[in-house]
């Protein structure tokens, strides 16, 4: 194992007015980098205030294997910590590591009062029981919000940690004052990481939520009804402009690598931008917000220790 420590009222859908596209029919771009920068400035101030009270917020990240995408995600998370004044620990294990070694390390981090957040980068190699690993993380330090106790708390409307990607999407919607109450929200994708918690969060804000998946019939029928459309599938450009309601807010969670090496989302940005009212780009949309919300959860966890 290699450990690195960083330096540091009923509303009908028809009445829910959604943001409109700018003149010329081009959607407003919801810039995740700009919003993240603003939020991270606020987080840095909160981290400094905590340090003044003698508490340095700390996130421990565990990476198993050499998956290049995972390595990039972990690097971005560690960099995000450093720039915000959050200390980070990074444990890197070879792909064939005995899962017990990782579970023992999680137990050690659970017991360490100086660690406020623990994250295991997914996916784990096939010989791991991922659920068992996620359940081994103390729910009080589960800054990804994947532990069953935290999933249950979110479901009950009393979350301790909100999963970072849907949390980031909610912040983006809030930043644009997108009306949620009574809005038709359609989520494409039902994963535990994105789709399901996204549905819970939108439901908690009184949107009418539809969740589509690989077995859904007539996907376009659903997406065309959406005031808020969240795509979280992992299929390049599968949502095209003709599948979008004019003026809708389109949130593209997908990250797909194209043949030319460039990244794209699940939404075909070129055709969607002429129909949507607001749209997130890929890259530079939901991605940076995910990391920002991870930093937020870590800080909140550290703040709880001094309250
Ligand atoms: P999963 O593979 O876990 O889930 C994909 C979901 O899409 C499943 O529910 C699947 O349905 C559904 N799906 C697959 N094909 C279709 C189809 N043809 N029509 C409708 N639904 C379909 O992926 P994740 O939720 O983990 O991630 C989704 C995407 O978001 C990926 O591109 C991922 O890289 C990206 N991502 C981005 C993040 C960010 O920070 N921006 C963070 C996390 C993920 P079924 O359940 O029936 O199989």
């Amino acid at each position: 194992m290699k450990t690195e420590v960083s330096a540091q009222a009923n509303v009908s859908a028809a009445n829910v007015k959604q943001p409109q596209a700018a003149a010329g029919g081009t959607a407003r771009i919801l810039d995740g980098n700009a919003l993240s920068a603003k939020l991270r400035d606020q987080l840095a101030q909160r981290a400094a205030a905590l340090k003044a009270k003698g508490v340095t917020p700390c996130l421990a990240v565990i990476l198993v294997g050499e998956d290049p995408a995972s390595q990039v995600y972990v690097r971005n998370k560690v960099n995000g910590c450093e720039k915000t004044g959050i200390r980070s620990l990074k444990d890197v294990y070879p792909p064939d590591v005995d899962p017990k070694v990782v579970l023992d390390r999680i137990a050690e981090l659970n017991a360490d009062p100086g660690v406020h957040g623990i994250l295991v980068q997914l996916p784990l190699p096939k010989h791991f029981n991922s659920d068992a690993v996620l359940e081994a993380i103390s729910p009080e330090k589960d800054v990804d919000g994947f532990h069953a106790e935290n999933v249950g708390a979110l479901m009950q409307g009393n979350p301790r940690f909100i999963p970072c990607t849907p949390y980031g999407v909610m912040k983006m919607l809030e930043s644009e004052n997108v009306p949620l109450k009574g809005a038709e929200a359609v989520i494409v994708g039902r994963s535990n990481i994105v789709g399901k918690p996204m549905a819970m969060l939108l439901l908690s804000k009184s949107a009418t939520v539809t969740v589509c998946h690989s077995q859904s019939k007539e996907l376009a029928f659903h997406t065309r009804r959406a005031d808020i459309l969240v795509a979280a599938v992992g299929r390049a450009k599968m949502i095209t402009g003709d599948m979008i309601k004019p003026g809708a807010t389109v949130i593209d969670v997908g990250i797909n690598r194209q043949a030319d090496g460039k990244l794209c989302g699940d939404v075909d940005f070129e055709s969607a931008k002429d129909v949507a009212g607001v749209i997130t780009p890929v890259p530079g949309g939901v991605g940076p917000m995910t990391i920002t919300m991870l930093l937020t959860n870590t800080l909140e966890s550290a703040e709880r220790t001094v309250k």
Side-chain angles (χ1 to χ4, degrees), residues 73 164-166 187-195 211-216 219 231-235 238-239 252-256 264-266 282 285-291:
Y73 293 144
C164 303
T165 301
I187 301 160
V188 190
R190 59 174 167 182
S191 71
N192 290 336
I193 293 173
V194 188
V211 182
C212 300
H213 46 78
S214 67
Q215 306 307 309
S216 297
L219 181 63
V233 176
R235 281 176 170 238
M238 69 171 285
I239 307 284
D252 192 354
V253 176
I255 302 175
N256 307 289
C264 75
D266 290 345
V282 178
V286 176
M289 287 300 293
T290 295
I291 296 179

mmCIF file of all heavy atoms in Angstrom, residues 73 164-166 187-195 211-216 219 231-235 238-239 252-256 264-266 282 285-291, ligand 1:
data_model
loop_
_atom_site.group_PDB
_atom_site.id
_atom_site.type_symbol
_atom_site.label_atom_id
_atom_site.label_comp_id
_atom_site.label_asym_id
_atom_site.label_seq_id
_atom_site.Cartn_x
_atom_site.Cartn_y
_atom_site.Cartn_z
ATOM 1 N N TYR A 73 -9.947 10.576 -11.427
ATOM 2 C CA TYR A 73 -10.948 11.032 -10.445
ATOM 3 C C TYR A 73 -10.298 11.245 -9.081
ATOM 4 O O TYR A 73 -10.542 12.256 -8.416
ATOM 5 C CB TYR A 73 -12.092 10.018 -10.310
ATOM 6 C CG TYR A 73 -12.954 9.873 -11.545
ATOM 7 C CD1 TYR A 73 -13.477 8.645 -11.913
ATOM 8 C CD2 TYR A 73 -13.255 10.972 -12.341
ATOM 9 C CE1 TYR A 73 -14.262 8.498 -13.055
ATOM 10 C CE2 TYR A 73 -14.031 10.837 -13.479
ATOM 11 C CZ TYR A 73 -14.531 9.603 -13.835
ATOM 12 O OH TYR A 73 -15.308 9.463 -14.960
ATOM 13 N N CYS A 164 -22.743 12.697 -3.810
ATOM 14 C CA CYS A 164 -22.154 13.937 -4.341
ATOM 15 C C CYS A 164 -22.707 14.378 -5.697
ATOM 16 O O CYS A 164 -22.944 15.572 -5.916
ATOM 17 C CB CYS A 164 -20.651 13.769 -4.438
ATOM 18 S SG CYS A 164 -19.924 13.337 -2.850
ATOM 19 N N THR A 165 -22.907 13.442 -6.637
ATOM 20 C CA THR A 165 -23.343 13.862 -7.975
ATOM 21 C C THR A 165 -24.766 14.437 -7.940
ATOM 22 O O THR A 165 -24.982 15.566 -8.413
ATOM 23 C CB THR A 165 -23.201 12.696 -8.976
ATOM 24 O OG1 THR A 165 -21.829 12.305 -9.004
ATOM 25 C CG2 THR A 165 -23.651 13.093 -10.364
ATOM 26 N N PRO A 166 -25.747 13.715 -7.383
ATOM 27 C CA PRO A 166 -27.083 14.332 -7.311
ATOM 28 C C PRO A 166 -27.123 15.586 -6.442
ATOM 29 O O PRO A 166 -27.875 16.522 -6.743
ATOM 30 C CB PRO A 166 -27.973 13.227 -6.731
ATOM 31 C CG PRO A 166 -27.107 12.095 -6.395
ATOM 32 C CD PRO A 166 -25.761 12.305 -6.975
ATOM 33 N N ILE A 187 -35.700 11.356 -14.996
ATOM 34 C CA ILE A 187 -34.307 10.929 -14.824
ATOM 35 C C ILE A 187 -34.107 9.686 -15.687
ATOM 36 O O ILE A 187 -34.907 8.749 -15.614
ATOM 37 C CB ILE A 187 -34.032 10.580 -13.347
ATOM 38 C CG1 ILE A 187 -34.307 11.800 -12.458
ATOM 39 C CG2 ILE A 187 -32.602 10.087 -13.158
ATOM 40 C CD1 ILE A 187 -34.534 11.458 -11.013
ATOM 41 N N VAL A 188 -33.072 9.702 -16.502
ATOM 42 C CA VAL A 188 -32.770 8.506 -17.291
ATOM 43 C C VAL A 188 -31.564 7.839 -16.633
ATOM 44 O O VAL A 188 -30.470 8.414 -16.607
ATOM 45 C CB VAL A 188 -32.492 8.849 -18.766
ATOM 46 C CG1 VAL A 188 -32.419 7.566 -19.597
ATOM 47 C CG2 VAL A 188 -33.582 9.768 -19.326
ATOM 48 N N GLY A 189 -31.787 6.653 -16.077
ATOM 49 C CA GLY A 189 -30.757 5.949 -15.294
ATOM 50 C C GLY A 189 -31.234 5.768 -13.869
ATOM 51 O O GLY A 189 -31.802 6.688 -13.287
ATOM 52 N N ARG A 190 -31.013 4.571 -13.323
ATOM 53 C CA ARG A 190 -31.511 4.270 -11.976
ATOM 54 C C ARG A 190 -30.423 3.684 -11.078
ATOM 55 O O ARG A 190 -30.688 2.803 -10.268
ATOM 56 C CB ARG A 190 -32.678 3.296 -12.059
ATOM 57 C CG ARG A 190 -32.337 1.980 -12.738
ATOM 58 C CD ARG A 190 -33.474 0.988 -12.681
ATOM 59 N NE ARG A 190 -33.223 -0.115 -13.595
ATOM 60 C CZ ARG A 190 -34.068 -1.126 -13.788
ATOM 61 N NH1 ARG A 190 -35.212 -1.157 -13.139
ATOM 62 N NH2 ARG A 190 -33.771 -2.093 -14.632
ATOM 63 N N SER A 191 -29.195 4.130 -11.264
ATOM 64 C CA SER A 191 -28.118 3.577 -10.432
ATOM 65 C C SER A 191 -28.247 4.063 -8.999
ATOM 66 O O SER A 191 -28.878 5.094 -8.723
ATOM 67 C CB SER A 191 -26.748 3.987 -10.991
ATOM 68 O OG SER A 191 -26.534 5.363 -10.778
ATOM 69 N N ASN A 192 -27.612 3.323 -8.089
ATOM 70 C CA ASN A 192 -27.604 3.721 -6.677
ATOM 71 C C ASN A 192 -26.812 5.002 -6.467
ATOM 72 O O ASN A 192 -27.035 5.742 -5.517
ATOM 73 C CB ASN A 192 -26.970 2.623 -5.816
ATOM 74 C CG ASN A 192 -27.860 1.403 -5.741
ATOM 75 O OD1 ASN A 192 -29.078 1.499 -5.918
ATOM 76 N ND2 ASN A 192 -27.261 0.257 -5.496
ATOM 77 N N ILE A 193 -25.875 5.260 -7.380
ATOM 78 C CA ILE A 193 -24.968 6.400 -7.216
ATOM 79 C C ILE A 193 -25.601 7.699 -7.715
ATOM 80 O O ILE A 193 -25.434 8.751 -7.124
ATOM 81 C CB ILE A 193 -23.654 6.105 -7.978
ATOM 82 C CG1 ILE A 193 -22.914 4.951 -7.288
ATOM 83 C CG2 ILE A 193 -22.780 7.325 -8.109
ATOM 84 C CD1 ILE A 193 -21.698 4.458 -8.047
ATOM 85 N N VAL A 194 -26.330 7.614 -8.827
ATOM 86 C CA VAL A 194 -26.888 8.831 -9.442
ATOM 87 C C VAL A 194 -28.420 8.799 -9.510
ATOM 88 O O VAL A 194 -29.106 9.601 -8.860
ATOM 89 C CB VAL A 194 -26.316 9.088 -10.853
ATOM 90 C CG1 VAL A 194 -26.768 10.457 -11.363
ATOM 91 C CG2 VAL A 194 -24.800 9.002 -10.887
ATOM 92 N N GLY A 195 -28.960 7.901 -10.309
ATOM 93 C CA GLY A 195 -30.385 7.958 -10.641
ATOM 94 C C GLY A 195 -31.316 7.899 -9.431
ATOM 95 O O GLY A 195 -32.197 8.761 -9.277
ATOM 96 N N VAL A 211 -38.590 7.866 -13.386
ATOM 97 C CA VAL A 211 -37.244 7.306 -13.565
ATOM 98 C C VAL A 211 -37.276 6.287 -14.705
ATOM 99 O O VAL A 211 -38.020 5.308 -14.654
ATOM 100 C CB VAL A 211 -36.742 6.631 -12.266
ATOM 101 C CG1 VAL A 211 -35.322 6.094 -12.463
ATOM 102 C CG2 VAL A 211 -36.779 7.601 -11.092
ATOM 103 N N CYS A 212 -36.480 6.533 -15.728
ATOM 104 C CA CYS A 212 -36.396 5.610 -16.868
ATOM 105 C C CYS A 212 -35.116 4.785 -16.769
ATOM 106 O O CYS A 212 -34.148 5.188 -16.113
ATOM 107 C CB CYS A 212 -36.378 6.393 -18.178
ATOM 108 S SG CYS A 212 -37.849 7.398 -18.430
ATOM 109 N N HIS A 213 -35.105 3.641 -17.435
ATOM 110 C CA HIS A 213 -33.950 2.726 -17.384
ATOM 111 C C HIS A 213 -33.903 1.924 -18.678
ATOM 112 O O HIS A 213 -34.669 2.201 -19.614
ATOM 113 C CB HIS A 213 -34.060 1.830 -16.146
ATOM 114 C CG HIS A 213 -35.416 1.253 -15.966
ATOM 115 N ND1 HIS A 213 -35.864 0.189 -16.692
ATOM 116 C CD2 HIS A 213 -36.453 1.676 -15.183
ATOM 117 C CE1 HIS A 213 -37.107 -0.054 -16.358
ATOM 118 N NE2 HIS A 213 -37.501 0.832 -15.446
ATOM 119 N N SER A 214 -33.054 0.907 -18.702
ATOM 120 C CA SER A 214 -32.822 0.196 -19.968
ATOM 121 C C SER A 214 -34.065 -0.551 -20.453
ATOM 122 O O SER A 214 -34.165 -0.861 -21.643
ATOM 123 C CB SER A 214 -31.651 -0.779 -19.823
ATOM 124 O OG SER A 214 -31.992 -1.826 -18.935
ATOM 125 N N GLN A 215 -34.991 -0.844 -19.546
ATOM 126 C CA GLN A 215 -36.191 -1.583 -19.945
ATOM 127 C C GLN A 215 -37.385 -0.653 -20.198
ATOM 128 O O GLN A 215 -38.494 -1.130 -20.475
ATOM 129 C CB GLN A 215 -36.566 -2.610 -18.859
ATOM 130 C CG GLN A 215 -35.422 -3.551 -18.497
ATOM 131 C CD GLN A 215 -34.834 -4.240 -19.709
ATOM 132 O OE1 GLN A 215 -35.560 -4.829 -20.504
ATOM 133 N NE2 GLN A 215 -33.522 -4.147 -19.881
ATOM 134 N N SER A 216 -37.179 0.638 -20.075
ATOM 135 C CA SER A 216 -38.290 1.582 -20.280
ATOM 136 C C SER A 216 -38.692 1.583 -21.750
ATOM 137 O O SER A 216 -37.831 1.625 -22.638
ATOM 138 C CB SER A 216 -37.880 3.003 -19.875
ATOM 139 O OG SER A 216 -37.585 3.041 -18.501
ATOM 140 N N LEU A 219 -38.819 5.771 -24.545
ATOM 141 C CA LEU A 219 -38.030 6.721 -23.749
ATOM 142 C C LEU A 219 -38.343 8.168 -24.133
ATOM 143 O O LEU A 219 -38.525 9.028 -23.269
ATOM 144 C CB LEU A 219 -36.528 6.421 -23.939
ATOM 145 C CG LEU A 219 -35.563 7.301 -23.163
ATOM 146 C CD1 LEU A 219 -35.753 7.136 -21.659
ATOM 147 C CD2 LEU A 219 -34.119 6.999 -23.546
ATOM 148 N N ALA A 231 -29.902 13.162 -17.434
ATOM 149 C CA ALA A 231 -29.421 11.983 -18.158
ATOM 150 C C ALA A 231 -28.225 11.401 -17.418
ATOM 151 O O ALA A 231 -27.205 12.075 -17.236
ATOM 152 C CB ALA A 231 -29.026 12.374 -19.580
ATOM 153 N N ALA A 232 -28.355 10.158 -16.958
ATOM 154 C CA ALA A 232 -27.272 9.489 -16.222
ATOM 155 C C ALA A 232 -27.222 8.036 -16.659
ATOM 156 O O ALA A 232 -27.629 7.132 -15.927
ATOM 157 C CB ALA A 232 -27.499 9.603 -14.724
ATOM 158 N N VAL A 233 -26.743 7.821 -17.868
ATOM 159 C CA VAL A 233 -26.777 6.503 -18.483
ATOM 160 C C VAL A 233 -25.367 5.975 -18.778
ATOM 161 O O VAL A 233 -25.015 4.848 -18.418
ATOM 162 C CB VAL A 233 -27.599 6.549 -19.800
ATOM 163 C CG1 VAL A 233 -27.564 5.205 -20.507
ATOM 164 C CG2 VAL A 233 -29.031 6.961 -19.517
ATOM 165 N N GLY A 234 -24.557 6.804 -19.447
ATOM 166 C CA GLY A 234 -23.256 6.340 -19.896
ATOM 167 C C GLY A 234 -23.297 5.894 -21.352
ATOM 168 O O GLY A 234 -22.595 4.963 -21.742
ATOM 169 N N ARG A 235 -24.137 6.544 -22.154
ATOM 170 C CA ARG A 235 -24.208 6.265 -23.596
ATOM 171 C C ARG A 235 -24.100 7.592 -24.338
ATOM 172 O O ARG A 235 -24.983 8.450 -24.207
ATOM 173 C CB ARG A 235 -25.556 5.638 -23.961
ATOM 174 C CG ARG A 235 -25.613 4.179 -23.638
ATOM 175 C CD ARG A 235 -26.985 3.660 -23.939
ATOM 176 N NE ARG A 235 -26.968 2.213 -23.850
ATOM 177 C CZ ARG A 235 -27.292 1.381 -24.830
ATOM 178 N NH1 ARG A 235 -27.690 1.863 -25.999
ATOM 179 N NH2 ARG A 235 -27.251 0.099 -24.672
ATOM 180 N N MET A 238 -27.007 9.995 -26.476
ATOM 181 C CA MET A 238 -28.243 9.237 -26.730
ATOM 182 C C MET A 238 -29.507 10.102 -26.647
ATOM 183 O O MET A 238 -30.526 9.759 -27.238
ATOM 184 C CB MET A 238 -28.369 8.039 -25.783
ATOM 185 C CG MET A 238 -28.627 8.405 -24.347
ATOM 186 S SD MET A 238 -29.034 6.975 -23.336
ATOM 187 C CE MET A 238 -30.694 6.647 -23.822
ATOM 188 N N ILE A 239 -29.433 11.234 -25.901
ATOM 189 C CA ILE A 239 -30.587 12.132 -25.816
ATOM 190 C C ILE A 239 -30.394 13.234 -26.856
ATOM 191 O O ILE A 239 -29.503 14.080 -26.732
ATOM 192 C CB ILE A 239 -30.706 12.765 -24.407
ATOM 193 C CG1 ILE A 239 -30.692 11.687 -23.306
ATOM 194 C CG2 ILE A 239 -31.927 13.679 -24.323
ATOM 195 C CD1 ILE A 239 -31.963 10.909 -23.131
ATOM 196 N N ASP A 252 -26.809 16.976 -17.836
ATOM 197 C CA ASP A 252 -26.115 15.829 -18.436
ATOM 198 C C ASP A 252 -25.057 15.303 -17.473
ATOM 199 O O ASP A 252 -24.008 15.928 -17.276
ATOM 200 C CB ASP A 252 -25.473 16.296 -19.756
ATOM 201 C CG ASP A 252 -24.987 15.128 -20.598
ATOM 202 O OD1 ASP A 252 -25.041 13.986 -20.119
ATOM 203 O OD2 ASP A 252 -24.561 15.391 -21.744
ATOM 204 N N VAL A 253 -25.353 14.160 -16.864
ATOM 205 C CA VAL A 253 -24.407 13.567 -15.908
ATOM 206 C C VAL A 253 -23.393 12.678 -16.625
ATOM 207 O O VAL A 253 -22.278 12.499 -16.163
ATOM 208 C CB VAL A 253 -25.184 12.759 -14.833
ATOM 209 C CG1 VAL A 253 -24.214 12.065 -13.883
ATOM 210 C CG2 VAL A 253 -26.138 13.659 -14.051
ATOM 211 N N GLY A 254 -23.758 12.160 -17.756
ATOM 212 C CA GLY A 254 -22.930 11.169 -18.449
ATOM 213 C C GLY A 254 -21.537 11.661 -18.795
ATOM 214 O O GLY A 254 -21.335 12.837 -19.120
ATOM 215 N N ILE A 255 -20.582 10.754 -18.699
ATOM 216 C CA ILE A 255 -19.211 11.043 -19.149
ATOM 217 C C ILE A 255 -18.807 9.894 -20.058
ATOM 218 O O ILE A 255 -18.706 8.746 -19.609
ATOM 219 C CB ILE A 255 -18.223 11.134 -17.965
ATOM 220 C CG1 ILE A 255 -18.660 12.217 -16.960
ATOM 221 C CG2 ILE A 255 -16.804 11.413 -18.457
ATOM 222 C CD1 ILE A 255 -17.794 12.280 -15.714
ATOM 223 N N ASN A 256 -18.620 10.198 -21.317
ATOM 224 C CA ASN A 256 -18.286 9.153 -22.298
ATOM 225 C C ASN A 256 -17.060 9.581 -23.091
ATOM 226 O O ASN A 256 -16.935 10.748 -23.467
ATOM 227 C CB ASN A 256 -19.460 8.949 -23.262
ATOM 228 C CG ASN A 256 -20.763 8.699 -22.516
ATOM 229 O OD1 ASN A 256 -20.952 7.650 -21.921
ATOM 230 N ND2 ASN A 256 -21.670 9.689 -22.512
ATOM 231 N N CYS A 264 -17.661 13.341 -23.986
ATOM 232 C CA CYS A 264 -18.982 13.904 -24.286
ATOM 233 C C CYS A 264 -19.981 13.329 -23.283
ATOM 234 O O CYS A 264 -19.688 12.362 -22.571
ATOM 235 C CB CYS A 264 -19.417 13.612 -25.715
ATOM 236 S SG CYS A 264 -19.945 11.909 -25.971
ATOM 237 N N GLY A 265 -21.145 13.930 -23.242
ATOM 238 C CA GLY A 265 -22.168 13.490 -22.304
ATOM 239 C C GLY A 265 -23.133 12.496 -22.925
ATOM 240 O O GLY A 265 -22.902 11.966 -24.023
ATOM 241 N N ASP A 266 -24.218 12.254 -22.199
ATOM 242 C CA ASP A 266 -25.288 11.392 -22.713
ATOM 243 C C ASP A 266 -26.233 12.192 -23.606
ATOM 244 O O ASP A 266 -27.100 11.625 -24.275
ATOM 245 C CB ASP A 266 -26.109 10.829 -21.541
ATOM 246 C CG ASP A 266 -25.320 9.822 -20.724
ATOM 247 O OD1 ASP A 266 -24.271 9.352 -21.188
ATOM 248 O OD2 ASP A 266 -25.764 9.507 -19.606
ATOM 249 N N VAL A 282 -20.594 19.010 -21.128
ATOM 250 C CA VAL A 282 -19.654 17.945 -20.725
ATOM 251 C C VAL A 282 -18.430 18.069 -21.621
ATOM 252 O O VAL A 282 -18.574 18.007 -22.851
ATOM 253 C CB VAL A 282 -20.269 16.535 -20.891
ATOM 254 C CG1 VAL A 282 -19.234 15.463 -20.506
ATOM 255 C CG2 VAL A 282 -21.525 16.374 -20.059
ATOM 256 N N GLY A 285 -19.524 20.568 -16.564
ATOM 257 C CA GLY A 285 -20.879 20.711 -16.012
ATOM 258 C C GLY A 285 -20.971 20.057 -14.655
ATOM 259 O O GLY A 285 -20.467 20.583 -13.656
ATOM 260 N N VAL A 286 -21.585 18.880 -14.656
ATOM 261 C CA VAL A 286 -21.819 18.165 -13.392
ATOM 262 C C VAL A 286 -20.504 17.661 -12.772
ATOM 263 O O VAL A 286 -20.368 17.617 -11.549
ATOM 264 C CB VAL A 286 -22.802 16.984 -13.625
ATOM 265 C CG1 VAL A 286 -22.994 16.179 -12.362
ATOM 266 C CG2 VAL A 286 -24.146 17.518 -14.136
ATOM 267 N N GLY A 287 -19.545 17.292 -13.599
ATOM 268 C CA GLY A 287 -18.291 16.705 -13.107
ATOM 269 C C GLY A 287 -17.633 17.506 -11.987
ATOM 270 O O GLY A 287 -17.428 16.988 -10.889
ATOM 271 N N PRO A 288 -17.294 18.783 -12.235
ATOM 272 C CA PRO A 288 -16.638 19.550 -11.166
ATOM 273 C C PRO A 288 -17.530 19.723 -9.929
ATOM 274 O O PRO A 288 -17.028 19.780 -8.801
ATOM 275 C CB PRO A 288 -16.338 20.911 -11.812
ATOM 276 C CG PRO A 288 -17.041 20.925 -13.125
ATOM 277 C CD PRO A 288 -17.304 19.510 -13.515
ATOM 278 N N MET A 289 -18.846 19.766 -10.154
ATOM 279 C CA MET A 289 -19.764 19.910 -9.012
ATOM 280 C C MET A 289 -19.721 18.679 -8.116
ATOM 281 O O MET A 289 -19.852 18.767 -6.897
ATOM 282 C CB MET A 289 -21.192 20.146 -9.512
ATOM 283 C CG MET A 289 -21.414 21.517 -10.094
ATOM 284 S SD MET A 289 -21.105 22.831 -8.900
ATOM 285 C CE MET A 289 -22.437 22.548 -7.746
ATOM 286 N N THR A 290 -19.519 17.506 -8.716
ATOM 287 C CA THR A 290 -19.456 16.277 -7.914
ATOM 288 C C THR A 290 -18.324 16.379 -6.897
ATOM 289 O O THR A 290 -18.494 16.068 -5.716
ATOM 290 C CB THR A 290 -19.245 15.066 -8.849
ATOM 291 O OG1 THR A 290 -20.401 14.940 -9.683
ATOM 292 C CG2 THR A 290 -19.058 13.779 -8.070
ATOM 293 N N ILE A 291 -17.179 16.832 -7.364
ATOM 294 C CA ILE A 291 -16.036 16.931 -6.443
ATOM 295 C C ILE A 291 -16.291 18.029 -5.400
ATOM 296 O O ILE A 291 -15.987 17.866 -4.217
ATOM 297 C CB ILE A 291 -14.735 17.163 -7.229
ATOM 298 C CG1 ILE A 291 -14.484 15.930 -8.103
ATOM 299 C CG2 ILE A 291 -13.559 17.419 -6.291
ATOM 300 C CD1 ILE A 291 -13.269 15.988 -8.969
HETATM 301 P P1 LIG B 1 -24.714 2.800 -14.319
HETATM 302 O O1 LIG B 1 -24.110 2.016 -15.430
HETATM 303 O O2 LIG B 1 -24.615 2.294 -12.940
HETATM 304 O O3 LIG B 1 -26.257 3.050 -14.640
HETATM 305 C C1 LIG B 1 -26.676 3.376 -15.932
HETATM 306 C C2 LIG B 1 -28.182 3.438 -15.954
HETATM 307 O O4 LIG B 1 -28.593 3.749 -17.280
HETATM 308 C C3 LIG B 1 -28.861 2.125 -15.570
HETATM 309 O O5 LIG B 1 -29.931 2.363 -14.674
HETATM 310 C C4 LIG B 1 -29.364 1.573 -16.902
HETATM 311 O O6 LIG B 1 -30.581 0.847 -16.801
HETATM 312 C C5 LIG B 1 -29.636 2.859 -17.654
HETATM 313 N N1 LIG B 1 -29.620 2.622 -19.098
HETATM 314 C C6 LIG B 1 -28.732 1.916 -19.823
HETATM 315 N N2 LIG B 1 -29.066 1.926 -21.115
HETATM 316 C C7 LIG B 1 -30.195 2.642 -21.229
HETATM 317 C C8 LIG B 1 -31.031 3.004 -22.302
HETATM 318 N N3 LIG B 1 -30.761 2.612 -23.551
HETATM 319 N N4 LIG B 1 -32.129 3.738 -22.048
HETATM 320 C C9 LIG B 1 -32.432 4.143 -20.792
HETATM 321 N N5 LIG B 1 -31.651 3.852 -19.713
HETATM 322 C C10 LIG B 1 -30.559 3.091 -19.938
HETATM 323 O O7 LIG B 1 -24.078 4.247 -14.451
HETATM 324 P P2 LIG B 1 -23.918 5.454 -13.389
HETATM 325 O O8 LIG B 1 -25.239 5.884 -12.871
HETATM 326 O O9 LIG B 1 -22.855 5.122 -12.432
HETATM 327 O O10 LIG B 1 -23.327 6.572 -14.353
HETATM 328 C C11 LIG B 1 -24.056 7.041 -15.464
HETATM 329 C C12 LIG B 1 -23.187 7.977 -16.260
HETATM 330 O O11 LIG B 1 -22.846 9.090 -15.448
HETATM 331 C C13 LIG B 1 -21.850 7.382 -16.715
HETATM 332 O O12 LIG B 1 -21.500 7.961 -17.958
HETATM 333 C C14 LIG B 1 -20.882 7.840 -15.650
HETATM 334 O O13 LIG B 1 -19.574 7.928 -16.135
HETATM 335 C C15 LIG B 1 -21.431 9.199 -15.346
HETATM 336 N N6 LIG B 1 -21.122 9.700 -14.023
HETATM 337 C C16 LIG B 1 -20.727 10.988 -13.952
HETATM 338 C C17 LIG B 1 -20.453 11.564 -12.748
HETATM 339 C C18 LIG B 1 -20.066 12.988 -12.724
HETATM 340 O O14 LIG B 1 -19.516 13.419 -11.755
HETATM 341 N N7 LIG B 1 -20.376 13.765 -13.771
HETATM 342 C C19 LIG B 1 -20.539 10.812 -11.500
HETATM 343 C C20 LIG B 1 -21.060 9.469 -11.669
HETATM 344 C C21 LIG B 1 -21.321 8.944 -12.895
HETATM 345 P P3 LIG B 1 -30.685 -0.566 -16.026
HETATM 346 O O15 LIG B 1 -30.720 -0.211 -14.565
HETATM 347 O O16 LIG B 1 -31.966 -1.135 -16.509
HETATM 348 O O17 LIG B 1 -29.481 -1.331 -16.413
#
